[in-house]
Amino acid sequence: MGDLTIRPINTGYVTMIPKQYLYHHSTVKFYPNASDQEEEYPVFAYLVEGGDKLLLIDTGMAYTERASKYHHHGSRQPEGMAIAEQLAKIGYTPEDIVCCSCASAAGKKKITLRIGSGHSETNPWIAAVEDYFVPTVSERVANETDYEIEWIKSYGGSVITLGNEIQGIQDGLVDIGCSILVFEASRLPLQTMVYCMPFSCSDPQIVAKVVRQIYAEYPEFTTDYETKYNQKFIGIGVSDPYGLYSTKRITSLEDVNGMKIGAAGINLQWIEGSGAVGLQTSLNDTYQNLQTNVCQATIQPTHSCVNLKVYEVAPYYLDANFNCVPFNSLTVNTDTWDSLPTEVQNILAEVGDGYLEYEADYISKVHAKDLEDIVAKGGTVDTLSEEEQQKWAASLPDIVNNLVKSLTDAGYKGSEIVTRYYELLAAEGVQQVRDWNLNL
């Protein structure tokens, strides 16, 4: 065999964000100068010449429309840069290639899936996507089918943003999305109903069990995505317990009187009647808002705030039994779903179904450690007494009956579904802090 020559062949250009795509999420922190802006990069195939056979490593990118839709948005293949055209320029035809080795292992066909969320991987529900959903789908597809998955990840709102995730998935900005439901209440009133049922249950595993049962009994929880928003529902996650982080110690309802408390979307209902002033906020801006005194407290999921080191600016944590809720959905754009092989669809559905238990178990394990970490970092952890919980719940407007009416007006079985949720909690031994006297 003579000397071999490896000839790079440019087949087009892709647009990507280096900080997200070129480095795995576990190592990107070691590359502080990696760009978080979209940049254009060439896509190469490699022709090996000089041996007994012509060997082509990969075939490069597809034509512009397909590459932009299924690989990276904004990808382009200028005229004359398709692999067959590039081979012709150097005197070869596709028939001259005796051996073509694509990046896919063992001759498997590559499927590219773009996955994203408005939240980053510091949040446990996205960590569960990365630690369970993505690798499990990849492993099963590789082991059980003739395909393999290439993932393009866009967490932290880089492609679909909070409050626009359902719309972004519907429009095909990503193939698979993890939507944060608290910001989608106007589109998904049924799926976000537990936000209007405060002080119902703060155990993630019980809530996960109840959610699985009620989703099985009422298919409209999942079919709404398909009939209204062009996406296939494959999974649901739950929040960790919502806690109150504050700049002063709070142990009673009276202590919040006059305070400005930040919360996301419909969570603001949880402080109506308390004497506090509610401010719309999100996890992404919580630290800064507390640091600059925009608000003096915030109601947020516990673990995310620990990861964001909120205890540095709000060292007092109150476990008030506010709630655990169905928090995030996993859905697949319908056009993408319909384009996938049946065996890949089945794997996505099965792994998505298992996401709930994995995520709830993960959250339950880290919550106790989160409280220990807050204390270890100099913070204070208090638990609101049952008497004070009852006072707080009693101060609220008639949120639950208002929920029943709004669901009924929207065409759902409002009273039946809400009542059933409370029945399922009671079957798990959960007693309610307030009797809402549902108008059945």
Side-chain angles (χ1 to χ4, degrees):
M1 180 179 293
D3 293 336
L4 298 180
T5 300
I6 299 177
R7 185 195 299 260
I9 301 175
N10 187 1
T11 60
Y13 301 90
V14 298
T15 301
M16 69 176 77
I17 300 174
K19 194 168 187 177
Q20 294 176 356
Y21 189 75
L22 299 181
Y23 308 109
H24 188 267
H25 68 89
S26 63
T27 61
V28 70
K29 62 184 177 181
F30 299 109
Y31 298 89
N33 297 321
S35 173
D36 59 1
Q37 303 299 314
E38 287 192 343
E39 297 178 358
E40 191 173 74
Y41 286 82
V43 178
F44 289 100
Y46 298 90
L47 182 66
V48 182
E49 301 169 285
D52 298 333
K53 303 175 182 178
L54 280 176
L55 175 64
L56 184 65
I57 308 297
D58 208 283
T59 56
M61 68 178 285
Y63 56 90
T64 296
E65 181 181 0
R66 181 175 181 82
S68 183
K69 182 175 182 180
Y70 293 107
H71 196 54
H72 294 263
H73 73 92
S75 297
R76 62 187 181 90
Q77 186 180 72
E79 185 177 352
M81 295 191 73
I83 186 63
E85 296 170 315
Q86 293 286 53
L87 287 172
K89 293 176 184 178
I90 55 178
Y92 297 118
T93 68
E95 289 74 20
D96 295 325
I97 307 300
V98 178
C99 183
C100 178
S101 175
C102 294
S104 300
K108 291 183 178 291
K109 300 173 186 176
K110 182 190 297 182
I111 295 174
T112 300
L113 292 175
R114 301 162 299 160
I115 187 169
S117 177
H119 269 174
S120 70
E121 294 150 283
T122 61
N123 298 290
W125 32 92
I126 305 300
V129 169
E130 275 294 286
D131 295 343
Y132 166 75
F133 179 79
V134 167
T136 305
V137 169
S138 293
E139 181 179 0
R140 287 196 53 187
V141 169
N143 291 339
E144 300 172 25
T145 77
D146 294 328
Y147 301 89
E148 67 173 8
I149 304 296
E150 177 189 49
W151 297 96
I152 299 173
K153 303 169 184 178
S154 55
Y155 304 123
S158 60
V159 174
I160 54 174
T161 58
L162 293 175
N164 295 293
E165 293 162 319
I166 293 294
Q167 185 69 52
I169 302 164
Q170 180 177 352
D171 293 343
L173 298 182
V174 294
D175 300 304
I176 302 176
C178 180
S179 298
I180 310 306
L181 297 179
V182 67
F183 299 104
E184 299 286 358
S186 61
R187 294 186 179 98
L188 299 169
L190 179 65
Q191 294 75 6
T192 55
M193 72 175 198
V194 183
Y195 282 100
C196 300
M197 302 166 68
F199 296 97
S200 55
C201 181
S202 289
D203 186 319
Q205 291 189 311
I206 290 177
V207 171
K209 184 176 181 180
V210 168
V211 166
R212 178 169 293 285
Q213 182 63 34
I214 204 164
Y215 270 49
E217 294 181 12
Y218 297 94
E220 50 265 50
F221 276 100
T222 62
T223 57
D224 274 354
Y225 292 92
E226 301 175 29
T227 59
K228 298 177 181 179
Y229 302 114
N230 190 44
Q231 48 205 282
K232 171 75 173 178
F233 174 91
I234 59 171
I236 188 75
V238 297
S239 71
D240 51 339
Y242 273 79
L244 181 69
Y245 288 84
S246 58
T247 57
K248 73 169 188 177
R249 193 171 189 178
I250 296 171
T251 58
S252 69
L253 175 64
E254 184 179 16
D255 291 338
V256 304
N257 186 44
M259 293 183 68
K260 294 179 181 179
I261 299 180
I266 49 178
N267 286 344
L268 289 169
Q269 297 178 105
W270 299 355
I271 59 174
E272 290 182 16
S274 67
V277 178
L279 296 173
Q280 172 66 37
T281 188
S282 72
L283 277 169
N284 296 345
D285 54 22
T286 289
Y287 189 103
Q288 183 177 6
N289 285 346
L290 289 163
Q291 186 180 42
T292 58
N293 202 39
V294 172
C295 58
Q296 293 84 50
T298 188
I299 299 174
Q300 299 288 356
T302 305
H303 185 64
S304 298
C305 284
V306 169
N307 281 342
L308 293 171
K309 300 181 179 181
V310 169
Y311 50 77
E312 293 179 346
V313 290
Y316 299 99
Y317 176 88
L318 178 66
D319 176 6
N321 186 33
F322 283 126
N323 235 352
C324 286
V325 298
F327 190 81
N328 59 296
S329 62
L330 289 174
T331 58
V332 184
N333 173 272
T334 300
D335 298 325
T336 298
W337 180 264
D338 291 342
S339 73
L340 295 173
T342 301
E343 57 267 43
V344 176
Q345 291 178 343
N346 292 340
I347 290 171
L348 285 170
E350 291 168 9
V351 177
D353 184 66
Y355 171 83
L356 175 60
E357 279 74 23
Y358 179 93
E359 188 245 17
D361 182 63
Y362 171 74
I363 282 176
S364 296
K365 289 177 180 177
V366 301
H367 183 65
K369 185 176 185 305
D370 288 336
L371 301 186
E372 293 174 0
D373 287 346
I374 291 173
V375 174
K377 298 295 183 179
T380 300
V381 173
D382 289 300
T383 299
L384 194 64
S385 69
E386 185 174 346
E387 179 182 1
E388 288 297 326
Q389 289 180 35
Q390 292 171 352
K391 287 182 182 179
W392 196 313
S395 75
L396 301 176
D398 197 2
I399 297 173
V400 178
N401 276 295
N402 291 340
L403 165 67
V404 168
K405 183 179 185 305
S406 67
L407 290 178
T408 302
D409 291 345
Y412 299 106
K413 301 172 184 177
S415 62
E416 180 181 326
I417 293 174
V418 172
T419 299
R420 182 59 177 154
Y421 189 86
Y422 281 127
E423 288 175 350
L424 291 170
L425 287 177
E428 297 296 324
V430 179
Q431 296 182 340
Q432 293 308 303
V433 172
R434 171 177 169 175
D435 182 355
W436 294 95
N437 298 310
L438 292 178
N439 297 319
L440 304 179

